[in-house]
Amino acid sequence: MPEYSYSPTGERFQLPEPEDYSKEFERLKNLVNHQRTLGREIVLVMGVGFVGAVMAAVVADAQDGKGNPTKFVIGMQRPSTRSFWKIPLINRGLTPMSTEDPEVGLMIDRCVNKKETLTATFSYDALKLAEVVVVDVQCDYLKESLGNVRTGQAEMKALEESFEIIASHISPDTLVLIETTVAPGTTEQIGYPIIKKIFKKRGIEREPILAHSFERVMPGKNYVASIRDFWRVCSGVNEESTRRVVKFLNDVLNTEKFPLTVLDRPIESETAKIVENSFRATILAFLDEWSLFAEQNGVDLVKVINAIKVRPTHSNMIFPGPGIGGYCLPKDGGLGLWAYRHIHGFEDDIFKMTPLAIDINDTRSLHVAQLTRDALRNMGRPIASAEILLLGASYREDVGDTRYSGSELIVRRLTEMGAELRIHDPYVLHWWEFENQDEYPTSSHSLKRFFRGQEKLKDLRVEQDLKRGLHGIDAVIFAVRHQPYLNLDPDQVVKNAGGPIAVIDCFGILDDTKIKRYFELGCEVKGLGRGHVKRIKDQVRAKREQLLLGISGKEEKQDLYLSKKDLELLNNGCNFGAED
Ligand SMILES: NC(=O)c1ccc[n+]([C@@H]2O[C@H](COP(=O)([O-])OP(=O)(O)OC[C@H]3O[C@@H](n4cnc5c(N)ncnc54)[C@H](O)[C@@H]3O)[C@@H](O)[C@H]2O)c1
């Protein structure tokens, strides 16, 4: 029976049959022979996922001073049911993932259809043709419990398999450049011995040419620039490897403007990536306790952070939002911990901050469910069976990437508490972590397993019509700072909802004017790190009481923000019920 791979839009592609492999290799050989006559170096990118597909296009787009392409790129992808569809899509000149950067699509189309410097394949034999192999396969870190990174393991299978496949096929002169974020020590202590052993079996005495250089790619509007026009760190296992990787990166990246940093050993380049991301995870996690402090003591953490940031030494302080998310920050520190024990063999426990930061970030969003529960309670409504609209499924603003987003945990916890969830996100069409929750992020590792009552969430769909999403809700959660949410008018929101609602701000999205207006409209407002909302609520209540008692004079009435219509709303809807 033929097997099929389905693209995200539902298009079906048959997986290759055994007889397809030799035909495919012939196609590649012909292409490569022609490209060699044009003097182009043959580069194979292994794994055309989020990073590899764009890296492949960046390399294929490289040109010399006269504007002539210098590389021919083969994007290679294993023909699994989950990923095979990426190959035919790239070969049509299409982007295999959704991105907010229009340059990705333009570049892939240009390189495939106009410059003819990019093709994609399922054939491992393509490795035989390459002078450079760039490894962009995943190396996951799978956690076994919620909020305890120490129980996790680095998932080395895809990477180890890739090293074996590469070593069995490449010519000894091929540069192997590992761009995957790996556990520090992987290049020298896992990659190098695997390649060396297989070379030996093949009768090759030559030292492998092996290097590491990590990606700093940022999903979003500047996706291509974050690969091509950005600083890189690299290192080779020996002098020749270092020389080759420096030359290759100089050929394909804008290193004139963004110079390379060359480190002595790959473990230093690998550690740089892990420390870089652990640093960011830590400065975000550290604010979680101050966020709680702010909520309990009438402090607005958003204003506090802005006040501190004017000091140049503290300008990179960031409000943490509902958890951190993304593919990298939740896992990278775990790869460091894992390496210390399982690659380097140490038994002692030197890591305190890094795992603590990840654990805090991984569970921060659960507090949003508590705020929602409390806001609804203050309005006299139970959380069970409340209709709640979550605005924003992705892990950061203005991108469609939902991997490990804080929003996922908010949905899971509120569902467990009996609420009915609706989702809106202008950048996300399918939230696979729910629609395909038995498979995502990998089979048996859905976050679903940490919560009860999750089965129905596979029917969760992302609403694109905000007005429809708002209709009849009890609560709205502002989870992500997407552009379309920043200026939503409270009057419109409440009107579309059909009356006062609970409003939860997870990301400092509401300014004080909006918060005040929501209170005036009879809503209840709460927010992560936003303890000052109670003060605004008290002011609105005091004014309301003044008005109801009719004690304010004519002049004062003119100063009051409340219109006659507002007053009607207040009288009918404002509910300052039992409070926390
Ligand atoms: N996504 C990001 O924002 C980002 C940022 C910086 C660094 N990184 C790092 O880049 C690396 C790749 O991440 P990604 O987001 O592209 O992952 P991904 O899962 O989107 O892509 C990996 C691809 O490799 C393929 N693959 C696995 N084994 C293979 C094999 N043997 N042969 C051919 N293909 C194979 C998979 O099918 C998949 O398509 C990771 O180490 C990640 O940590 C990612």
Side-chain angles (χ1 to χ4, degrees):
M1 280 289 280
E3 278 193 286
Y4 295 94
S5 169
Y6 290 83
S7 76
T9 56
E11 192 174 349
R12 189 173 86 153
F13 297 96
Q14 189 180 330
L15 261 51
E17 301 280 352
E19 64 273 15
D20 295 326
Y21 283 80
S22 53
K23 267 192 265 166
E24 175 67 355
F25 190 44
E26 277 310 304
R27 176 182 84 88
L28 294 170
K29 272 198 297 198
N30 289 335
L31 278 175
V32 164
N33 287 340
H34 172 63
Q35 295 288 334
R36 286 210 167 110
T37 63
L38 300 171
R40 293 175 188 163
E41 185 172 43
I42 312 301
V43 179
L44 184 139
V45 176
M46 191 165 191
V48 284
F50 274 83
V51 179
V54 187
M55 179 64 186
V58 165
V59 178
D61 208 38
Q63 52 191 37
D64 61 20
K66 292 184 191 142
N68 297 317
T70 53
K71 315 281 175 197
F72 177 70
V73 180
I74 305 171
M76 204 264 288
Q77 174 60 53
R78 63 182 168 183
S80 61
T81 47
R82 187 167 167 160
S83 288
F84 173 72
W85 57 269
K86 296 173 192 174
I87 298 167
L89 248 64
I90 292 177
N91 283 337
R92 288 179 195 162
L94 298 174
T95 316
M97 77 285 189
S98 68
T99 163
E100 296 71 37
D101 183 355
E103 204 182 345
V104 175
L106 293 173
M107 193 183 244
I108 292 182
D109 177 47
R110 180 166 68 239
C111 293
V112 172
N113 294 320
K114 298 197 180 72
K115 293 171 127 183
E116 299 182 341
T117 51
L118 175 62
T119 191
T121 188
F122 50 85
S123 159
Y124 287 143
D125 281 336
L127 286 157
K128 295 177 184 163
L129 308 169
E131 284 141 81
V132 178
V133 172
V134 179
V135 181
D136 263 322
V137 307
Q138 73 278 22
C139 176
D140 288 327
Y141 184 83
L142 299 179
K143 297 170 193 166
E144 297 307 330
S145 52
L146 185 62
N148 187 356
V149 66
R150 289 176 195 276
T151 60
Q153 292 284 328
E155 174 53 56
M156 299 294 289
K157 202 167 139 249
L159 200 59
E160 284 174 335
E161 231 174 62
S162 303
F163 293 146
E164 284 163 17
I165 295 162
I166 290 168
S168 314
H169 289 82
I170 57 169
S171 114
D173 296 328
T174 304
L175 163 68
V176 179
L177 168 56
I178 302 170
E179 292 205 341
T180 301
T181 304
V182 291
T186 298
T187 303
E188 288 153 282
Q189 302 206 37
I190 295 177
Y192 177 85
I194 290 178
I195 298 175
K196 184 88 183 145
K197 240 183 257 167
I198 294 177
F199 269 14
K200 207 165 167 201
K201 266 198 214 150
R202 290 174 61 196
I204 301 167
E205 286 306 320
R206 200 188 193 303
E207 278 294 297
I209 306 174
L210 180 63
H212 181 262
S213 174
F214 58 89
E215 286 285 359
R216 282 169 162 153
V217 50
M218 284 295 289
K221 285 187 220 104
N222 301 315
Y223 207 109
V224 169
S226 73
I227 291 187
R228 185 192 53 207
D229 308 310
F230 213 61
W231 296 271
R232 274 289 187 111
V233 176
C234 67
S235 181
V237 295
N238 48 37
E239 264 178 42
E240 187 181 1
S241 303
T242 303
R243 190 180 52 71
R244 288 277 303 273
V245 71
V246 167
K247 178 176 181 321
F248 175 70
L249 293 176
N250 278 332
D251 281 354
V252 297
L253 305 180
N254 184 2
T255 53
E256 241 172 60
K257 218 164 163 201
F258 301 93
L260 291 177
T261 302
V262 184
L263 295 176
D264 292 343
R265 290 178 56 199
I267 190 174
E268 289 170 335
S269 163
E270 295 163 335
T271 305
K273 173 69 183 182
I274 302 297
V275 174
E276 188 170 301
N277 277 350
S278 300
F279 168 71
R280 202 162 164 84
T282 305
I283 56 169
L284 284 156
F286 134 83
L287 281 172
D288 180 60
E289 59 205 31
W290 290 107
S291 176
L292 292 170
F293 175 90
E295 283 169 36
Q296 285 154 7
N297 292 286
V299 172
D300 183 5
L301 187 67
V302 174
K303 293 196 199 91
V304 168
I305 290 175
N306 288 339
I308 296 169
K309 278 170 74 160
V310 295
R311 210 183 140 163
T313 49
H314 290 54
S315 60
N316 66 355
M317 198 177 232
I318 6 175
F319 187 85
I324 304 312
Y327 183 46
C328 299
L329 262 57
K331 77 169 166 59
D332 287 356
L335 292 173
L337 262 65
W338 182 86
Y340 188 66
R341 176 156 303 173
H342 296 286
I343 295 183
H344 305 288
F346 290 99
E347 284 300 324
D348 56 339
D349 185 11
I350 55 169
F351 288 105
K352 306 279 184 291
M353 307 266 282
T354 302
L356 185 61
I358 292 176
D359 293 347
I360 289 170
N361 293 339
D362 278 357
T363 48
R364 174 169 160 82
S365 61
L366 296 174
H367 183 50
V368 176
Q370 295 170 3
L371 293 179
T372 314
R373 175 200 65 198
D374 294 349
L376 282 166
R377 188 201 54 216
N378 286 355
M379 299 181 80
R381 300 183 199 176
I383 184 95
S385 79
E387 292 277 345
I388 298 175
L389 173 67
L390 180 98
L391 297 180
S394 62
Y395 83 95
R396 65 183 281 254
E397 68 273 17
D398 300 319
V399 303
D401 190 342
T402 56
R403 291 185 287 180
Y404 302 103
S405 78
S407 295
E408 181 182 348
L409 279 199
I410 299 175
V411 172
R412 293 201 178 282
R413 173 65 97 214
L414 283 171
T415 300
E416 183 174 70
M417 291 161 79
E420 297 292 331
L421 268 294
R422 305 176 194 179
I423 314 300
H424 177 273
D425 193 308
Y427 304 96
V428 177
L429 292 177
H430 293 276
W431 199 349
W432 297 116
E433 281 77 357
F434 291 107
E435 274 189 45
N436 221 343
Q437 61 179 351
D438 295 321
E439 309 265 325
Y440 271 73
T442 59
S443 61
S444 80
H445 273 82
S446 165
L447 290 174
K448 139 184 163 186
R449 70 199 198 280
F450 301 121
F451 300 87
R452 67 181 185 90
Q454 303 288 298
E455 272 318 308
K456 66 175 180 184
L457 288 174
K458 62 177 184 301
D459 299 323
L460 196 71
R461 293 295 176 269
V462 184
E463 176 65 73
Q464 296 301 316
D465 182 341
L466 183 55
K467 206 169 155 189
R468 201 164 48 211
L470 284 163
H471 182 72
I473 52 163
D474 297 294
V476 65
I477 300 174
F478 286 87
V480 186
R481 288 186 65 86
H482 288 328
Q483 200 62 37
Y485 301 152
L486 302 183
N487 291 313
L488 281 184
D489 174 23
D491 286 77
Q492 212 52 47
V493 170
V494 172
K495 190 171 163 223
N496 288 334
I501 52 174
V503 179
I504 316 301
D505 181 4
C506 305
F507 234 129
I509 292 170
L510 303 178
D511 60 21
D512 288 358
T513 311
K514 289 204 183 73
I515 294 171
K516 184 174 171 216
R517 188 65 190 145
Y518 276 117
F519 278 125
E520 287 170 352
L521 292 168
C523 299
E524 176 68 15
V525 183
K526 287 193 177 292
L528 286 177
R530 310 214 71 189
H532 74 307
V533 292
K534 177 74 168 56
R535 210 162 46 239
I536 300 176
K537 178 173 162 176
D538 289 345
Q539 284 161 7
V540 172
R541 176 160 43 187
K543 275 189 184 172
R544 178 177 178 264
E545 277 164 6
Q546 262 186 340
L547 278 167
L548 290 178
L549 289 171
I551 56 165
S552 57
K554 210 173 163 206
E555 276 170 28
E556 280 170 306
K557 255 188 194 158
Q558 274 170 4
D559 287 345
L560 284 171
Y561 184 65
L562 308 180
S563 67
K564 217 170 157 203
K565 201 166 131 248
D566 299 335
L567 260 176
E568 275 167 30
L569 256 170
L570 274 172
N571 292 332
N572 297 336
C574 193
N575 188 339
F576 296 115
E579 284 167 29
D580 44 315

